[in-house]
């Protein structure tokens, strides 16, 4: 009798162990079943794109009146991203000076679809009495900017790149100090030709 | 007993599985309130005017009945009107674009007017050229042609009168004409001609013709209420044409400079006037209103010709005597003239300028200093050999500080109002100081702390407005000209977002602001502006609490924009401007972009207050 009882106890113990193992497996397996299917492939890195044709005022002519507001529509591949914008007037590449405003545009889950966000920024007019007669207004957008240090506001987008639109403002219509691009090749000097 | 233990273990295991794999308890998240019906009853909105009613799943309070102006900026990529701006006044819900109404019918559709090419010339008679010192050799009977800068300012018809948009506080998009030289053998004005031309939307304009230097000794001609004309040859004369052409010349317009509009300035300077320039400027806008003359010698009597700016004209003029271009630290003489009085002036000798150095430091004294723009605006200067301050002599300059807050400049001796404009990131506010420069000076300037301002945005149905953008922008009411001429007088724009209970906090300069609450897109709620909010100078530890900004159920503006060929105008930026109650200047009440069908929809909050 005692042998039979011991055998039953051993069988019961094995059954309990087996139940515990099955329970553990079902616990783990049950949670694995709830795991979501494989993620979609991520979007490639991209940067916000300014719809240059629709910016206000148009950027294809020199401004003689400083606008109350600059309106910049920005198109996004992924409408859920957050991006940054910065505005410089007469940016000084040596000192990183003359940032006039900056901000962050965030995704709004209630936003209408379409992937276009319209930014409106009002800026203080540059001093007309100053030494510069043609001012350069740069509006930059990027996922992020790099190189901010010592109070300087960087002008460089992060690795995904950025976009910009530039206006030239010459209140007196004097465009002599507006930046020029001269693609003419450098001519050899007359002296060189004589030699 | 063993079976009972096994059942217990099984039950515990099942419970553990159920708990482990059960749904995770959610954390409540705050979303911006939405204007949705019938989830929210429209009767809950407590607001004046039309009571909101449920329409297309949101509460709307009808359409605006107050007058407003739509400013349509056509993209530069558009087939029609690329880069042009169209002004569409809307009164009683009916848009008046100036377009052909047969293009599309109904108040929903806005037909844009066609573009027209306008051309013209600026000419002057030889007798006038002789009088202003231009070479007229050999003298000819036909007036000479001159290159001129030609600007078309659009006029908007509101309240029965045509006004330039900038005088209403509406953004202005002037059009500058192109120029070319042609050989014209078609009529009595044969010979080379400098022709200006521009492509403009059909409508009303104010046109200004300013001859280029060195021909700017000829008068500026401004024509108001100009209906778009195809050809317009302006001939400036000092006397009526003695021999008018036998055949009428199309578009010929004689403009007479006579004794009523000609002003004689008698100017003197003991140290000589060589290179000095003089002109008359509109006292309000400071735009040049007359010919500009360059002087020489110790005294000069010069005619400053104007057109239509006689003594009977109510707009005052300032006589300006400016030092030679490129001169350093020399003030200008600016005197208000009245009915021809004030045209005899002497520019008295001023002492040599002084070096002014200094630093902009934070009120806490922390180092390094503050990066800032410093504007020196002086309107009383010292004269040589005298400690007295002479009015009418003015000088203005601006400098930037370096990373340590240091600056250096040279100023004529005088009394200056100094505007300190710290960079936004520095965390300090604008400040104004008075500096008497009577010798070389080293000055320390201190920006002001920013004023702490708190407020709350709520809907008129009592819900808190979370997740809205709050923009505090300087108020330019009736000061549009100063916005550009003296921008340092105005506070800076600041923006933030409301928190879960609609509260917000701003750090502002002292000044007057228009505060706009922009609810999140897609919530069906309108941007709401509150104008003329005055922010007092900051007090230590003090907080300015604004009255709650109340956002009502929206009024809807929706239109379709088409070109004269009935094609939709896509991706155009449309901005709406309205005049606040008891204010003359318009403010922006909404922005939208047209879709692929040329349609747009704007939700506005009624007439601004």
């Amino acid at each position: 009798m005692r042998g039979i009882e011991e055998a039953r106890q051993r069988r019961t113990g094995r059954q309990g162990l087996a139940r515990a193992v099955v329970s553990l497996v079902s616990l783990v397996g049950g949670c694995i079943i709830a795991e979501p299917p494989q993620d979609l492939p991520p979007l490639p890195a991209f940067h916000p794109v300014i719809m240059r044709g629709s910016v206000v005022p148009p950027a294809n002519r020199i401004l003689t009146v400083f606008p109350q507001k600059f309106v910049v529509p920005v198109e996004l591949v992924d409408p859920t991203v957050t991006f940054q914008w910065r505005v410089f007037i007469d940016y000084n590449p040596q000192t990183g000076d003359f940032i006039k405003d900056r901000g962050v545009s965030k995704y709004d889950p209630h936003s209408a679809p379409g992937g276009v966000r319209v930014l409106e920024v009002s800026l203080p007019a540059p001093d007309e009495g100053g030494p510069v007669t043609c001012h350069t207004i740069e509006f930059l957008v990027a996922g992020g900017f790099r190189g901010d240090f010592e109070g300087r506001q960087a002008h460089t987008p992060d690795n995904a790149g950025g976009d910009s639109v530039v206006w030239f403002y010459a209140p007196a219509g004097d465009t002599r100090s507006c930046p020029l691009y001269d693609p003419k090749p450098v001519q050899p000097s007359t002296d060189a030709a004589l030699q | 007993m063993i079976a009972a233990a096994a059942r217990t273990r099984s039950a515990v295991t099942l419970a553990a599985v159920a708990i482990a794999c059960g749904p995770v308890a959610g954390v409540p998240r705050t979303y911006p309130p939405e204007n949705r019906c019938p989830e929210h009853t429209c009767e809950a909105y407590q607001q004046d005017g039309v009571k909101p009613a449920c329409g297309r799943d949101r509460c709307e309070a009808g359409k605006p009945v107050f007058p407003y102006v739509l400013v349509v900026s056509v993209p530069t990529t558009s087939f029609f009107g690329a880069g042009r701006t169209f002004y569409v006044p809307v009164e009683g819900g009916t848009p008046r674009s100036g377009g052909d109404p047969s293009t599309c019918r109904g108040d929903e559709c806005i037909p844009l007017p066609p573009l027209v090419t306008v051309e013209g010339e600026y000419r002057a008679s030889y007798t006038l050229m002789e009088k202003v010192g231009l070479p007229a050799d050999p003298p000819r009977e036909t007036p000479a042609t001159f290159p001129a800068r030609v600007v078309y300012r659009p006029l908007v018809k509101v309240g029965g009168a045509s006004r330039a948009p900038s005088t209403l506080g509406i953004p202005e998009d002037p059009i500058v004409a192109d120029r070319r030289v042609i050989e014209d053998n078609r009529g009595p004005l044969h010979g080379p001609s400098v022709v200006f031309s521009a492509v403009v939307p059909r409508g009303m304009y104010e046109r200004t013709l300013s001859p280029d230097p060195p021909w700017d000794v000829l008068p500026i001609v401004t024509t108001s209420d100009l209906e778009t004309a195809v050809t317009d040859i302006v001939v400036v004369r000092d006397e009526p044409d003695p021999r008018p052409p036998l055949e009428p010349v199309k578009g010929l317009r004689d403009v007479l400079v006579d004794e009523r509009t000609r002003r004689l300035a008698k100017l003197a300077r003991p140290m000589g006037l060589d290179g000095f320039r003089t002109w008359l400027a509109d006292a309000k806008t400071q735009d040049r209103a007359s010919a500009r003359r360059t002087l020489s010698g110790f005294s000069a009597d010069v005619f400053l010709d104007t057109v239509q700016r006689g003594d009977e004209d109510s707009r005052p003029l300032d006589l300006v005597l400016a030092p030679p271009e490129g001169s350093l630290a020399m003030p200008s003489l600016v005197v208000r003239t009245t009915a021809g009085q004030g045209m005899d002036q002497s520019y008295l000798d001023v002492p040599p300028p002084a070096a002014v150095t200094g630093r902009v430091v934070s009120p806490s004294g922390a180092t390094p200093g503050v990066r800032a723009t410093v504007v020196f605006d002086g309107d009383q200067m010292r004269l040589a050999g005298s400690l007295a301050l002479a009015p009418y002599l003015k000088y203005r300059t601006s400098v930037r500080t370096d990373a340590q807050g240091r600056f250096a400049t040279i100023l004529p001796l005088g009394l200056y109002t100094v505007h300190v404009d710290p960079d936004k990131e520095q965390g300090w506010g604008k400040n104004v100081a008075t500096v008497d420069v009577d010798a070389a000076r080293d000055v320390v300037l201190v920006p002001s702390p920013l004023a702490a301002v708190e407020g709350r945005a709520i809907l008129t149905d009592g819900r808190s407005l979370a997740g809205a953008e709050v923009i505090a922008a300087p108020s330019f009411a009736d000061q549009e000209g100063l916005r550009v001429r003296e921008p340092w007088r105005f506070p800076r724009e600041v923006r933030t977002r409301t928190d879960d209970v609609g509260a917000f906090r701003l750090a502002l300069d002292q000044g007057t602001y228009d505060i706009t609450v922009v609810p999140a897109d897609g919530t069906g709620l309108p941007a709401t502006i509150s104008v003329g909010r005055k922010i007092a100078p900051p007090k230590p530890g003090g907080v300015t609490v604004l009255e709650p900004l109340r956002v009502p159920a929206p009024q809807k503006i929706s239109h379709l924009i088409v070109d004269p060929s009935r094609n939709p105008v896509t991706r155009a930026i449309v901005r709406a401007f309205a005049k606040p109650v008891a204010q003359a200047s318009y403010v922006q009440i909404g922005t939208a972009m047209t879709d692929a069908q040329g349609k747009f929809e704007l939700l506005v909050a009624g007439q601004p207050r």
Side-chain angles (χ1 to χ4, degrees):
Chain A
M1 280 299 284
R2 191 172 173 186
I4 294 169
E5 185 63 27
E6 283 176 355
R8 185 185 293 165
Q9 281 183 0
R10 278 198 299 275
R11 193 168 61 246
T12 307
R14 280 198 298 274
Q15 285 173 347
L17 186 65
R19 274 200 294 271
V21 169
V22 167
S23 300
L24 195 63
V25 167
S26 66
L27 184 70
V28 173
C31 294
I32 288 171
I33 289 166
E35 195 170 294
Q38 194 175 6
D39 286 341
L40 292 169
L43 286 169
F46 62 89
H47 58 76
V49 176
I50 292 173
M51 296 168 64
R52 280 188 190 73
S54 294
V55 299
V56 179
N60 62 356
R61 54 180 188 247
I62 291 168
L63 307 179
T64 56
V65 175
F66 197 79
Q68 287 179 354
K69 277 187 180 175
F70 291 86
V71 185
V72 180
V74 178
E75 200 162 26
L76 303 163
V77 174
D78 176 2
T80 65
V81 296
T82 294
F83 69 88
Q84 297 182 26
W85 55 265
R86 291 182 177 185
V87 192
F88 295 83
I89 298 183
D90 301 329
Y91 174 68
N92 183 336
Q94 193 174 20
T95 62
D97 211 355
F98 294 114
I99 188 167
K100 288 297 168 188
D101 206 351
R102 62 178 175 164
V104 177
S105 175
K106 290 183 177 171
Y107 169 60
D108 168 19
H110 293 257
S111 176
V116 175
R117 290 187 215 166
V118 180
L119 305 176
E120 290 185 82
V121 180
S122 118
L123 299 170
D127 180 16
E128 286 188 18
V132 182
T133 57
C134 179
H135 301 276
T136 305
I137 300 123
E138 287 177 279
F139 198 112
L140 285 82
V141 293
F145 290 86
R146 63 183 182 186
D148 289 353
F149 63 97
E150 295 178 354
R152 298 195 306 183
Q153 302 299 316
H155 190 254
T156 310
D158 60 14
N159 289 340
D163 200 1
S164 70
V165 61
V166 176
W167 292 269
F168 297 112
Y169 168 56
D174 179 1
T175 57
R176 282 175 295 178
S177 62
C178 289
L180 286 173
Y181 173 64
D182 185 356
K184 281 189 296 190
V186 178
Q187 298 294 324
S189 74
T190 313
D191 294 344
L194 288 174
Q195 291 167 6
Chain B
M1 186 167 170
I2 292 170
R7 279 197 296 275
T8 304
R9 274 199 299 273
S10 300
V12 169
T13 305
L14 275 174
V17 170
I19 291 168
C21 297
V24 176
V27 178
R29 184 175 171 185
T30 305
Y31 285 106
E34 295 183 29
N35 175 22
R36 295 272 180 268
C37 59
E39 293 92 322
H40 294 279
T41 172
C42 296
E43 287 73 32
Y45 287 101
Q46 301 295 315
Q47 57 192 75
D48 297 333
V50 177
K51 295 300 172 196
C54 191
R56 286 204 321 172
D57 78 358
R58 73 175 170 222
C59 300
E60 290 176 6
K63 293 184 175 181
V65 291
F66 57 88
Y68 58 92
V69 177
L70 295 174
V71 180
V72 182
S73 301
V74 177
T76 54
T77 49
S78 174
F79 180 76
F80 167 78
R84 293 286 180 256
T85 302
F86 295 81
Y87 297 87
V88 184
V90 183
E91 291 182 16
T94 304
R96 303 188 189 286
S97 65
D100 183 355
S102 68
T103 307
C104 59
R105 299 197 180 280
D107 289 348
E108 289 293 308
C109 183
I110 298 178
L112 295 182
L115 299 178
V116 289
T117 301
V118 289
E119 286 191 336
E121 297 178 43
Y122 182 103
R123 289 178 174 267
S125 69
Y126 275 78
T127 52
L128 177 63
M129 289 172 61
E130 282 182 327
K131 280 190 177 170
V132 298
L134 286 175
D137 186 30
R140 289 168 52 181
E141 289 178 2
T142 55
T145 182
F146 292 95
R149 181 169 182 261
V150 182
V151 179
Y152 286 84
R153 293 176 76 190
L155 301 177
V156 184
K157 199 159 192 175
V158 289
S162 294
R163 303 270 305 272
S166 62
T167 63
L168 297 167
I170 297 173
E172 191 166 292
D173 185 19
I175 297 168
V176 182
D178 300 326
R179 288 176 294 191
R180 65 187 191 279
V181 179
I182 63 167
E183 188 70 30
D184 188 357
N185 294 317
R186 292 171 296 180
L189 300 178
H190 58 82
S193 300
V194 183
V195 175
F196 60 81
S197 67
V199 179
V200 301
R202 192 179 65 196
M204 300 285 288
Y205 290 88
E206 178 188 277
R207 185 187 61 189
T208 302
L209 294 89
S210 314
D212 287 352
W215 301 288
D216 54 354
V217 293
L218 293 166
I220 290 173
V221 179
T222 299
T223 313
S224 299
D225 288 352
L226 181 76
E227 289 269 13
T228 316
V230 177
T231 307
D232 186 17
I233 301 171
V234 173
V235 181
V236 188
R237 300 179 183 278
D238 60 330
E239 54 191 34
D241 188 0
R243 300 175 62 184
L246 295 175
E247 295 177 20
V249 178
K250 189 181 174 187
L252 196 66
R253 180 196 295 257
D254 277 359
V255 173
L256 205 58
V257 177
D258 58 18
E259 296 309 316
R260 293 180 307 109
T261 59
R262 165 167 288 165
R263 312 293 176 92
L264 177 62
K266 295 185 175 182
L267 304 166
R269 180 170 180 259
M271 301 292 286
L273 286 165
D274 289 355
F276 272 70
R277 299 154 299 152
T278 185
W279 65 88
L280 291 167
D282 184 283
K284 187 176 179 189
T285 64
Q286 288 301 306
D287 290 340
R288 187 162 64 89
S290 77
R292 179 163 45 200
R293 308 295 296 269
T294 303
L295 310 176
S296 61
F298 293 94
S299 64
D301 293 359
V302 290
F303 286 108
L304 299 177
D305 295 337
T306 68
V307 173
Q308 297 170 343
R309 294 298 290 260
D311 290 343
E312 70 281 4
D313 191 285
S314 59
R315 295 167 294 176
L317 291 167
D318 283 348
L319 172 67
V320 181
L321 179 59
E325 210 167 350
S327 59
L328 185 67
M330 284 190 73
S332 295
L333 179 78
V334 182
V335 182
R336 181 68 45 87
T337 66
T338 309
Q341 302 298 310
M343 297 295 288
D344 295 1
Q345 295 295 332
S346 183
Y347 187 110
L348 299 173
D349 194 16
V350 294
V356 175
T357 57
R359 283 188 70 200
V360 179
V361 297
S362 70
S364 62
T367 55
V370 176
R371 278 179 183 267
T373 300
V374 181
V375 178
F376 290 88
D377 187 10
D379 58 2
Q380 295 182 67
M381 296 291 134
R382 295 186 188 281
L383 301 176
S386 166
L387 289 175
L389 289 161
Y392 310 131
L393 285 172
K394 300 178 188 301
Y395 186 78
R396 178 194 297 168
T397 192
S398 61
V399 291
R400 284 283 302 169
T401 64
D402 64 9
Q404 281 73 47
R406 298 172 300 189
F407 65 87
T409 187
I410 295 173
L411 297 175
L413 305 190
L415 191 64
Y416 290 87
T417 303
V418 184
H419 300 264
V420 182
D421 182 2
D423 288 2
K424 260 186 171 177
E425 291 70 32
Q426 303 285 299
W428 298 106
K430 291 186 168 192
N431 205 358
V432 180
T434 301
V435 173
D436 188 358
V437 179
D438 51 4
R441 293 282 304 271
D442 187 60
V443 295
V444 175
L445 300 169
V446 182
S448 169
L450 291 164
V453 177
E454 291 179 354
R456 192 164 171 240
I458 54 173
L459 302 183
T460 54
D461 66 359
R463 286 181 286 166
S464 298
L465 183 56
E469 186 167 32
V470 179
I471 304 168
S475 175
F476 299 120
D478 309 323
Q479 294 183 305
E480 175 60 22
L482 278 182
R483 176 182 74 85
V484 175
R485 287 202 313 278
E486 300 179 8
W488 51 86
R489 291 188 185 279
F490 295 94
R492 295 165 293 183
E493 180 177 299
V494 176
R495 53 185 76 206
T496 187
R497 276 192 180 272
T498 57
D499 64 13
D500 293 351
V501 294
F504 62 88
R505 192 179 172 88
L506 294 160
L508 301 178
D509 295 313
Q510 86 174 81
T512 306
Y513 287 86
D514 294 340
I515 298 180
T516 307
V517 181
V518 186
D521 282 347
T523 55
L525 293 164
T528 306
I529 187 167
S530 172
V531 299
R533 298 276 185 139
K534 286 190 168 59
I535 302 299
K539 294 174 186 168
V543 175
T544 302
V545 179
L546 299 173
E547 285 178 31
L549 302 166
R550 296 167 62 81
V551 176
Q555 298 180 335
K556 188 173 79 173
I557 299 173
S558 67
H559 292 285
L560 161 70
I561 298 180
V562 297
D563 69 15
S565 304
R566 303 181 185 179
N567 298 311
V569 178
T570 62
R571 288 190 163 187
I573 297 287
V574 182
R575 289 177 285 173
F577 292 81
K579 192 163 61 171
V581 176
Q583 186 174 303
S585 287
Y586 283 56
V587 294
Q588 188 173 331
I589 56 172
T591 306
M593 185 183 231
T594 58
D595 62 14
Q597 284 75 46
K599 292 179 182 171
F600 73 92
E601 183 184 84
L602 268 172
L603 299 179
V604 300
Q607 189 164 12
R609 292 173 185 274

